[in-house]
């Protein structure tokens, strides 16, 4: 059964870069029908899509975050990663990684448990 | 960017009642790319409905989705205690771009 697990620092200082990794287990990140995405949720608020990546490295980002976001993939480790630069308190959120199936229809069908990241000095 | 507006913000109902949740898009959305998720406190969202009306694996048939164009609906035919949660709609559109609605909380009356 496919599982996703986020990892990374839970505390990041303002103006620094947030870095998270999502490890995929129980299946291959190189499956042709899937993208892999990052979604975040500030405390008490709704969901915001950050961006997605295909195993080939093709990416697409939320335009509101595009200037600060880099998503990369390491197929040898079955992982994909998120970097968000110049963070502020507004970037404090639970960060989720998720699998996005793509074809005649699409949705995020498998999610990691999420990791809380706090931006504070 | 397509904006998804969910209503009502909060729905107060009793177990056994019918819940009707709305998701309205600022411009037409392909039904193929409209999904619904359920989120309980402290948990990740769970996919309920994709393609506007197809239930995801393991989702009970009391959950159903419908709609097209700019108006979509999630219906829970008879609320079970475990159904009290927050529900989000989500669409994939051109650019490409994914957006979520602001959510509807279904609470126990």
């Amino acid at each position: 059964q496919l599982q996703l697990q986020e990892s990374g620092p839970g505390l990041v200082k303002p103006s620094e870069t947030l870095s998270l990794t999502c490890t995929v287990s129980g299946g291959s990140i190189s499956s042709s029908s899937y993208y892999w995405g990052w979604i975040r949720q500030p405390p008490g608020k709704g969901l915001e899509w950050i961006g997605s990546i295909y195993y080939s490295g093709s990416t697409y980002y939320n335009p509101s975050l595009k200037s600060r976001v880099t998503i990369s993939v390491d197929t040898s480790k079955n992982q994909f990663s998120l970097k968000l630069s110049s963070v502020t308190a507004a970037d404090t959120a639970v960060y989720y990684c998720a699998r996005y199936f793509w074809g005649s229809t699409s949705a995020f069908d498998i999610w990691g448990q999420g990791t809380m990241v706090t931006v504070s000095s | 960017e397509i904006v998804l507006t969910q209503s009502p913000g909060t729905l107060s109902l009793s177990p056994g009642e019918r819940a009707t949740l709305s998701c309205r898009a600022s411009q037409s959305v392909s039904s193929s790319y409209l999904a619904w998720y359920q989120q309980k406190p402290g948990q990740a969202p769970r996919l309920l409905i994709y393609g506007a009306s197809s239930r995801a694996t393991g989702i009970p048939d009391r959950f159903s989705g419908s709609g097209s164009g700019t108006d979509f609906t999630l219906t829970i035919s008879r609320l079970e205690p475990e159904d009290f949660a927050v529900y989000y709609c989500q669409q994939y559109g051109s650019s490409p771009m994914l957006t979520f609605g602001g959510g509807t909380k279904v609470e126990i009356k």
Side-chain angles (χ1 to χ4, degrees):
Chain A
Q1 180 176 343
L2 192 89
Q3 292 185 316
L4 286 75
Q5 178 68 58
E6 306 90 350
S7 59
L11 181 64
V12 181
K13 290 182 168 54
S15 80
E16 295 190 344
T17 296
L18 178 160
S19 296
L20 296 174
T21 295
C22 182
T23 300
V24 179
S25 60
S28 174
I29 202 169
S30 300
S31 299
S32 60
S33 299
Y34 303 105
Y35 277 76
W36 306 89
W38 288 98
I39 302 99
R40 70 180 183 178
Q41 185 172 38
K45 297 188 177 181
L47 301 166
E48 180 182 34
W49 171 69
I50 299 171
S52 297
I53 190 165
Y54 195 56
Y55 76 92
S56 64
S58 175
T59 55
Y60 54 107
Y61 301 131
N62 186 326
S64 69
L65 297 169
K66 187 174 183 178
S67 64
R68 298 194 293 130
V69 173
T70 302
I71 297 176
S72 59
V73 63
D74 186 336
T75 56
S76 67
K77 295 182 179 179
N78 233 27
Q79 295 176 334
F80 62 106
S81 299
L82 168 70
K83 291 188 185 299
L84 181 65
S85 64
S86 305
V87 297
T88 69
D91 295 309
T92 293
V94 175
Y95 285 75
Y96 296 100
C97 60
R99 185 179 79 169
Y100 190 74
F101 69 82
W102 169 257
S104 58
T105 184
S106 64
F108 291 105
D109 63 340
I110 300 176
W111 294 65
Q113 65 184 23
T115 187
M116 180 69 200
V117 178
T118 302
V119 178
S120 175
S121 55
Chain B
E1 175 187 338
I2 296 177
V3 176
L4 299 178
T5 302
Q6 292 188 241
S7 62
T10 301
L11 198 51
S12 298
L13 295 168
S14 301
E17 290 194 294
R18 181 183 187 90
T20 302
L21 288 67
S22 173
C23 176
R24 180 160 292 177
S26 59
Q27 46 187 289
S28 186
V29 171
S30 169
S31 297
S32 297
Y33 302 122
L34 193 287
W36 290 91
Y37 303 85
Q38 176 194 67
Q39 188 179 34
K40 297 180 181 178
Q43 296 184 17
R46 177 175 71 145
L47 176 65
L48 296 176
I49 301 287
Y50 65 93
S53 60
S54 297
R55 274 187 299 276
T57 303
I59 301 303
D61 61 7
R62 64 179 181 273
F63 291 92
S64 62
S66 62
S68 63
T70 59
D71 289 297
F72 297 88
T73 301
L74 175 69
T75 302
I76 310 171
S77 59
R78 290 175 307 279
L79 282 164
E80 297 288 340
E82 62 268 27
D83 299 337
F84 292 92
V86 180
Y87 293 84
Y88 294 95
C89 57
Q90 173 254 314
Q91 68 85 32
Y92 167 86
S94 59
S95 299
M97 177 69 180
L98 287 91
T99 53
F100 289 91
T104 290
K105 181 180 182 180
V106 179
E107 66 175 22
I108 300 176
K109 186 175 182 180

